[in-house]
C-alpha cells in the first residue's frame, strides 16, 4: 500500500470518528423533532370536486402547547348560492378552536362535539375562504392527537354533510414531557449514584483512619511495654548492685 493510500485511509477513519462523536451530542428532542417532521405530512387535501377544493396546513409551536391551522377553501362558480364551510372535531385535552383570522366574514359555532365555521358569504361567484385558527394542547400522555377536520361548499337552502378526514398529529408536548421526565430520572439516578460513591469514599477514608489510629495505638502500646520492660530491667539491675555492695 502506497503512502498516499495510507494517508487517504487515515483521513477517512478520522472523519468517521468525528461524525460519530458529533451524533452523540445531538439533543434527543432535536432528533425527535426531525423524525416527526420527516414522518408527518403537515398539509392535507380535504376535498376536490366540481364545487371547489379544500386543504389544511398545520404547524406545532416549539413547546408543543399550540397547533396553528391554516385552512383554504376555494369555491368554484355555482348555479346555486353557496358558501365555504369548515368543520373540526378535537380530541380530549385539546382546547376549542380559537379564531385568528378569515378572509370571509363568519364565526365558529358549536354543534355537539363539532366546531363549524360558516362564512355566510353566499354567492354563485367564485370565492376563497382562508381561515386561520389555533387549538391549545393540554395532553401530556398521548403519543398522537387524533383530530377530524373537513371542508365543503355549502348551499344556502340545502346544507350538505361535510366529510371529515382523520388527521393524527404527533403530540410534541407529550414527547417533550416524556423527555423532561427521563432527564429528571437520569439526573436523580446520577445524584443517587454520586451520593453512594461519596458515601463509599467516606466509609473507605473512615476505615483507613480507624486502621491507622489502631496501628498507632498498637505501636504506642508496644513502645510503652518496651519502656516498661526497660524500666523494670533497670530497677532489677539497680537492686542487684545494691546487694553486692
Amino acid at each position: 500500500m502506497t503512502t498516499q493510500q495510507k494517508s487517504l485511509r487515515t483521513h477517512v477513519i478520522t472523519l468517521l470518528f468525528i461524525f460519530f462523536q458529533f451524533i452523540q451530542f445531538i439533543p434527543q428532542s432535536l432528533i425527535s423533532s426531525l423524525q416527526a417532521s420527516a414522518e408527518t405530512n403537515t398539509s392535507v387535501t380535504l376535498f376536490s370536486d366540481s364545487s371547489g377544493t379544500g386543504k389544511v396546513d398545520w404547524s406545532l409551536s416549539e413547546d408543543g402547547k399550540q397547533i396553528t391551522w391554516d385552512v383554504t377553501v376555494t369555491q368554484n362558480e355555482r348555479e346555486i348560492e353557496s358558501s365555504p364551510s369548515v368543520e373540526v372535531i378535537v380530541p380530549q385535552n385539546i382546547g376549542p378552536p380559537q379564531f385568528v383570522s378569515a378572509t370571509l366574514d363568519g364565526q365558529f359555532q358549536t354543534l355537539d362535539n363539532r366546531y363549524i365555521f360558516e362564512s355566510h358569504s353566499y354567492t354563485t361567484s367564485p370565492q376563497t375562504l382562508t381561515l386561520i385558527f389555533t387549538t391549545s394542547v393540554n395532553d401530556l400522555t398521548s403519543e398522537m392527537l387524533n383530530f377530524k377536520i373537513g371542508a365543503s361548499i355549502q348551499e344556502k337552502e340545502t346544507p350538505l354533510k361535510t366529510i371529515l378526514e382523520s388527521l393524527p398529529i404527533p403530540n410534541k408536548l407529550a414527547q417533550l414531557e416524556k423527555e423532561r421526565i427521563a432527564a429528571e430520572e437520569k439526573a436523580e439516578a446520577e445524584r443517587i449514584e454520586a451520593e453512594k460513591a461519596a458515601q463509599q469514599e467516606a466509609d473507605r477514608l473512615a476505615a483507613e483512619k480507624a486502621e491507622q489510629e489502631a496501628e498507632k495505638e498498637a505501636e504506642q502500646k508496644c513502645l510503652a511495654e518496651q519502656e516498661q520492660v526497660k524500666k523494670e530491667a533497670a530497677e532489677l539491675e539497680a537492686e542487684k548492685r545494691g546487694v553486692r555492695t
Side-chain angles (χ1 to χ4, degrees):
M1 182 180 289
T2 65
T3 302
Q4 184 177 7
Q5 288 175 324
K6 289 182 179 179
S7 176
L8 178 60
R9 181 181 179 185
T10 302
H11 184 64
V12 171
I13 293 174
T14 302
L15 289 176
L16 288 174
F17 175 77
I18 294 174
F19 175 74
F20 286 118
Q21 289 294 318
F22 171 75
I23 289 177
Q24 294 179 0
F25 293 97
I26 297 178
Q28 185 61 38
S29 58
L30 176 58
I31 295 175
S32 300
S33 298
L34 291 173
Q35 288 175 339
S37 299
E39 296 171 0
T40 306
N41 186 7
T42 60
S43 182
V44 176
T45 298
L46 300 176
F47 78 98
S48 179
D49 54 32
S50 60
S51 67
T53 60
K55 73 180 185 73
V56 59
D57 296 282
W58 59 267
S59 62
L60 281 164
S61 61
E62 287 297 322
D63 58 9
K65 294 182 178 180
Q66 179 175 282
I67 304 173
T68 300
W69 305 81
D70 187 341
V71 186
T72 301
V73 186
T74 300
Q75 174 182 316
N76 295 335
E77 186 173 356
R78 306 276 290 168
E79 294 182 357
I80 301 174
E81 289 188 338
S82 304
S83 178
S85 176
V86 177
E87 186 172 325
V88 184
I89 297 178
V90 301
Q92 291 184 346
N93 296 322
I94 300 296
Q98 298 296 315
F99 176 83
V100 176
S101 66
T103 54
L104 300 176
D105 291 336
Q107 61 183 4
F108 274 105
Q109 295 180 348
T110 305
L111 181 61
D112 297 329
N113 63 336
R114 297 177 295 161
Y115 297 90
I116 303 172
F117 183 91
E118 295 180 352
S119 65
H120 302 299
S121 177
Y122 292 98
T123 179
T124 57
S125 301
Q127 60 179 344
T128 298
L129 166 66
T130 300
L131 171 65
I132 298 176
F133 64 92
T134 62
T135 50
S136 60
V137 180
N138 303 302
D139 189 331
L140 295 175
T141 56
S142 303
E143 292 185 4
M144 303 295 291
L145 303 174
N146 296 308
F147 288 85
K148 288 186 178 181
I149 186 169
S152 60
I153 306 300
Q154 293 290 330
E155 295 179 357
K156 186 174 183 179
E157 302 297 334
T158 310
L160 303 174
K161 182 178 181 180
T162 300
I163 298 175
L164 300 178
E165 296 286 340
S166 294
L167 184 56
I169 295 178
N171 189 351
K172 185 177 181 180
L173 180 64
Q175 177 63 32
L176 292 174
E177 179 67 9
K178 183 179 178 181
E179 292 173 3
R180 183 190 67 79
I181 292 174
E184 286 184 353
E185 291 177 346
K186 180 180 178 182
E188 179 65 13
E190 290 176 348
R191 183 189 67 80
I192 293 173
E193 189 63 28
E195 288 183 353
K196 182 180 178 181
Q199 185 60 48
Q200 290 175 344
E201 180 65 12
D203 293 343
R204 184 186 68 80
L205 293 174
E208 285 184 357
K209 184 178 180 181
E211 183 179 356
Q212 290 172 357
E213 290 178 350
E215 290 177 354
K216 183 178 180 181
E217 183 179 351
E219 183 179 355
Q220 290 175 345
K221 184 178 179 180
C222 182
L223 290 173
E225 290 175 350
Q226 290 175 359
E227 288 296 326
Q228 183 64 27
V229 170
K230 289 180 180 180
K231 182 179 178 181
E232 291 176 352
E235 291 175 351
L236 182 60
E237 183 65 26
E239 289 177 359
K240 288 180 179 180
R241 288 177 181 176
V243 171
R244 289 176 185 175
T245 57

